Every structure is written in C-alpha cells, then in structure tokens.
Amino acid sequence: GKRNWNAAKDLQRYRRRYPGLVEPESDEEEEMWNLSFYRNEVSFRPHGLPIERLLESWWDNYEILEENHSYIQWLFPLREHGMNWHARPLTRQEIEAFKKSSDVMQRFERAYQLMLSFYGITLTNQKTGELKRAENWAERFQNLNRFSHNNLRITRILKCLGEMGYEDYQVQLVKFFLTETLVKETLPNVKRSALDYFLFTVRSKRKRRELVYYAWQHFKPQSSFVWAPRDKLLKYRPRSAKAQPCQKDESKREIPGTKSDGSVEKDQKDRLLEEEQKVGDDEDGLNVSSDLQPEEVNQEDLKEKLNERVLEGGDGEEEKDPLFAQHEEKDLNNEAEEVQSAAESDSTKESKKRKLDASKADNKHSEQEKSPPDIEKISRNLGECAI
C-alpha cells in the first residue's frame, strides 16, 4: 500500500541523466574499460572472460549465469557504481563510442538476448524489441520468482538499454513484465520491482505514462494503486486512443459542452490537453528541486508531489498528437457544418410553412368574401345563361 520513495528518487536521477555528476574526461580510448571489454580486448574482472567467449559458452549455462555476480555490470554498465568495484562506471564518451561501432552494438544486442534467454524470454523483433515467452518459460519464471537479486539485474539492464538508445526495447521489456505480473500473474515475486523500479526506468514521458496507465488498469484492487494519482488516471487517455476519431452516428452528434453516456465533456477534454502540454523540470512531473539535498527535503511533501504529478510535467516531447489534432479540428468543422445545415434546413422549412400559411389565409379570405347571397346570385345567373 506504499510506494518506494527511495526508488522513485533514484530513478528520477537516472531519467534526469545524473544531474551534478562529474565524469573524468579523457580522449584516450585505452582508459575506456567498458568499451575495451565490448571490443573483446579485455576480460571482465574479477576472474572473467572476454565477451566473445562469454556470449558463446554461457548461452544456455543458466547455473553460472545465476551464481556469478561479476559479469552483469560489465555486460550492462551504468553511469553509477555497483557492487562490483572492479567494474568502471560508464561515461558519456563511452556511450558515444559504443554507438559508433557496429561490432560493439551487435555484441550488446547479443548480451541482451543472452539475459532474455536466462529469464525465459525470446526477442521476436529486433527492430521493435517485441518479446514473447520462451519454450522453457515455466522453468525460468520459477527461477525468477525464487531469486530476487535478478530483479536488480533487470533494473540495470533496463537502465543500460536507455543509455544505449534502445528505448523501444526498454518499453517492450517493461510491458512484458507488467503483463506477466499483473495480468497473467505468473511472477508474483517480481510484481513489486516491476512497479517500483522497472516502470520508472522509461525516460520517455509519453511512453511511461501509457505504461503507468496500463499497470493501473490491471492492478487489483485499483483503489490500492499508489504509483499515480487516481484523478489523473481517470482523466488520462493513451495516445493510441487519442489518435482514433470519435466514431458517432451523425444524427446523434452532440453540441460541444453537453454530456453523453461514456463520454467526456469537451471542456474537460480541453483541460486534459492543456495538462498534457505542460512542461516541467522533470520528465515525470516529479516536481522536486534538484538543488535540494535528500536530508533537506520534507519527506511528506516529497511523497505528495511525487504522487500528485506522476502523470504531469514534460521531458521536451511534443504531447499533442498532430493526427489527433487534425481529427479534432475535422470533428469541430463537421459539427459547424451540421449546425449550419440544420439552420438552413430549419430556414427552408420555416419559409415553406409561411407560404402554406399565407395560401391558407388567402383561401380563407376568399371564402369569407363569397357570402351566401353572392353564391345564390352567381347560381341564378348561371341558370339563366343555361336557359
């Protein structure tokens, strides 16, 4: 029933790309230990192997992947220290050097697939990062449920994917674990880490918000969901839903500002769009000053701000979908045309009615003018003419 606020602050710092972090700058590639390892020039330490031998000989050696705790920080380096002090923190220069080498990035993808196999997952699309269960998923999931240190490894993998530019892979892996923990309920011992850690490694605000919404939809009971404020979740609509124009029968289209069953008032939609376009200091809307030291932050205020604005703020992305804006404008134009058409139709009807009333009035007036004596006279004259 409570959120892990230490995890929230740690991941906020990661998403902000470690504000205040001072890195040693060097143009000497020999000093880039992580790059040298991925170039197959050095072995991981302590007591390790070059990366090529590791990827080939450890592919299905699940026992050693489980028991060895030294390799993971070399395979997935971060810009922060871990438990293996023989491993060097990743630097920005190394990240750029990684991305420039096709051989290095191919090894990185193989390392990712190695760990996916260890967890009982298969990469089905290298372009999008889509995943599915492996054939031996039941056995591997049992291992995941049993050894919780793998949750820390998965968090590291997710962070490293973000550093290396594999944001689509990152989103797919988080979605996979949310589905297995919340929907299929196959990984109960991973559930808490998936919500506290995995979910908030995603740097893209829009994608992270969609994942938070997805988690809330499948969390039981929803009233105990503490990773975003309920009122924001009730108003929020995923981008995929925004891109779909409202499919309504033309005869049932409503005038803006009125309610209908299952719909949202137009002014409420406008407020929601305004909220989504707000840009804050933090991608997640975690409105906490980076200048404050942890001991200076009021914990209750911090929790309230973190929880209130998890679905607000900005990370520099354009929030309003152009396609949705076009649909919205088209709908408004259609409504205006319908109102105009209705007005013209009403005008035509009114004109016809006036003509009909005038015709009736003329007939009535004519009938009133022809009194009975006049009719008798006309009849008599006609009779005389006939005779």
Side-chain angles (χ1 to χ4, degrees):
K2 293 183 180 180
R3 186 175 173 185
N4 186 331
W5 300 108
N6 289 329
K9 289 188 287 184
D10 171 71
L11 294 167
Q12 180 191 66
R13 183 169 179 265
Y14 160 77
R15 291 193 306 274
R16 287 183 169 183
R17 304 182 189 278
Y18 303 94
L21 177 64
V22 178
E23 296 178 343
E25 295 186 5
S26 175
D27 295 331
E28 300 295 331
E29 292 186 352
E30 290 78 8
E31 297 183 13
M32 299 183 184
W33 289 94
N34 297 294
L35 182 62
S36 296
F37 172 67
Y38 261 93
R39 283 179 171 173
N40 206 41
E41 297 171 350
V42 299
S43 301
F44 75 83
R45 297 165 56 195
H47 316 299
L49 304 171
I51 189 169
E52 276 296 335
R53 285 180 57 193
L54 185 156
L55 294 175
E56 292 174 3
S57 62
W58 288 15
W59 175 257
D60 56 356
N61 194 337
Y62 299 144
E63 184 176 352
I64 195 169
L65 286 170
E66 179 61 50
E67 295 179 356
N68 190 305
H69 300 283
S70 302
Y71 69 92
I72 194 69
Q73 294 182 51
W74 288 86
L75 282 184
F76 302 97
L78 299 177
R79 296 176 62 201
E80 57 190 68
H81 283 285
M83 297 301 294
N84 181 0
W85 288 95
H86 292 278
R88 303 290 182 90
L90 188 67
T91 65
R92 286 184 176 179
Q93 288 178 309
E94 282 186 305
I95 293 173
E96 295 305 316
F98 264 69
K99 293 178 180 179
K100 291 177 181 178
S101 173
S102 59
D103 290 340
V104 165
M105 297 313 291
Q106 286 177 7
R107 291 192 181 106
F108 181 77
E109 290 184 14
R110 288 168 60 195
Y112 178 57
Q113 293 184 60
L114 170 74
M115 296 309 297
L116 289 178
S117 175
F118 174 61
Y119 296 132
I121 308 170
T122 299
L123 179 67
T124 59
N125 190 319
Q126 286 188 304
K127 184 177 180 180
T128 64
E130 291 181 44
L131 306 167
K132 71 174 185 179
R133 291 173 175 177
E135 292 182 0
N136 61 342
W137 68 271
E139 172 196 343
R140 302 317 305 157
F141 280 19
Q142 185 177 3
N143 186 78
L144 262 177
N145 276 315
R146 182 179 178 187
F147 298 107
S148 61
H149 68 87
N150 282 298
N151 297 340
L152 299 175
R153 292 178 173 183
I154 294 169
T155 301
R156 168 175 285 274
I157 292 169
L158 285 164
K159 284 183 175 181
C160 191
L161 286 172
E163 297 288 11
M164 297 300 174
Y166 287 83
E167 294 182 356
D168 290 338
Y169 280 34
Q170 200 180 37
V171 171
Q172 292 290 345
L173 187 57
V174 173
K175 183 73 172 288
F176 180 88
F177 279 112
L178 290 176
T179 301
E180 293 295 339
T181 57
L182 299 177
V183 182
K184 299 179 181 178
E185 300 181 346
T186 54
L187 293 169
N189 294 342
V190 182
K191 176 180 175 180
R192 189 72 195 195
S193 292
L195 292 166
D196 277 334
Y197 289 91
F198 303 173
L199 183 56
F200 293 96
T201 60
V202 179
R203 279 180 169 150
S204 167
K205 180 188 66 173
R206 177 180 60 81
K207 294 175 182 178
R208 187 173 62 254
R209 291 164 77 183
E210 289 183 354
L211 288 169
V212 171
Y213 183 76
Y214 177 80
W216 172 70
Q217 283 184 308
H218 298 285
F219 189 87
K220 300 174 184 177
Q222 280 190 339
S223 59
S224 299
F225 190 83
V226 297
W227 291 271
R230 181 176 176 81
D231 59 331
K232 303 297 181 185
L233 290 165
L234 289 171
K235 294 178 182 179
Y236 178 73
R237 286 188 303 149
R239 187 172 183 175
S240 56
K242 295 175 189 176
Q244 298 293 331
C246 186
Q247 301 293 333
K248 284 187 178 182
D249 185 80
E250 294 297 326
S251 63
K252 297 181 180 180
R253 189 180 293 276
E254 296 178 355
I255 297 174
T258 61
K259 291 184 179 180
S260 65
D261 294 338
S263 64
V264 184
E265 287 189 61
K266 183 179 182 299
D267 59 346
Q268 189 177 14
K269 293 180 183 178
D270 293 339
R271 286 197 300 270
L272 180 59
L273 289 174
E274 289 176 4
E275 289 177 359
E276 291 175 347
Q277 289 175 322
K278 292 179 181 177
V279 177
D281 292 335
D282 182 71
E283 312 81 18
D284 206 19
L286 305 181
N287 193 19
V288 182
S289 174
S290 59
D291 297 329
L292 294 178
Q293 299 298 323
E295 61 270 13
E296 296 176 324
V297 179
N298 183 297
Q299 292 298 319
E300 294 301 321
D301 291 344
L302 173 63
K303 293 177 182 179
E304 182 178 356
K305 291 176 181 178
L306 285 171
N307 208 31
E308 269 184 4
R309 304 192 58 197
V310 67
L311 294 179
E312 296 181 359
D315 57 359
E317 293 186 356
E318 184 179 356
E319 284 304 304
K320 190 169 182 178
D321 189 344
L323 180 60
F324 175 63
Q326 292 174 7
H327 287 311
E328 185 180 43
E329 182 178 358
K330 183 177 179 181
D331 287 343
L332 292 175
N333 290 337
N334 289 340
E335 288 180 1
E337 290 175 1
E338 288 178 8
V339 172
Q340 183 177 359
S341 176
E344 292 175 355
S345 177
D346 291 343
S347 178
T348 303
K349 290 179 181 179
E350 185 65 25
S351 177
K352 290 181 178 179
K353 183 178 180 182
R354 285 198 299 269
K355 290 180 180 179
L356 182 61
D357 291 343
S359 178
K360 289 180 178 179
D362 291 341
N363 292 335
K364 186 176 180 181
H365 181 69
S366 176
E367 290 175 359
Q368 291 176 351
E369 287 180 348
K370 296 179 180 180
S371 58
D374 293 335
I375 294 174
E376 292 177 1
K377 290 178 180 179
I378 293 170
S379 178
R380 190 164 49 249
N381 293 333
L382 288 173
E384 291 175 354
C385 291
I387 295 172

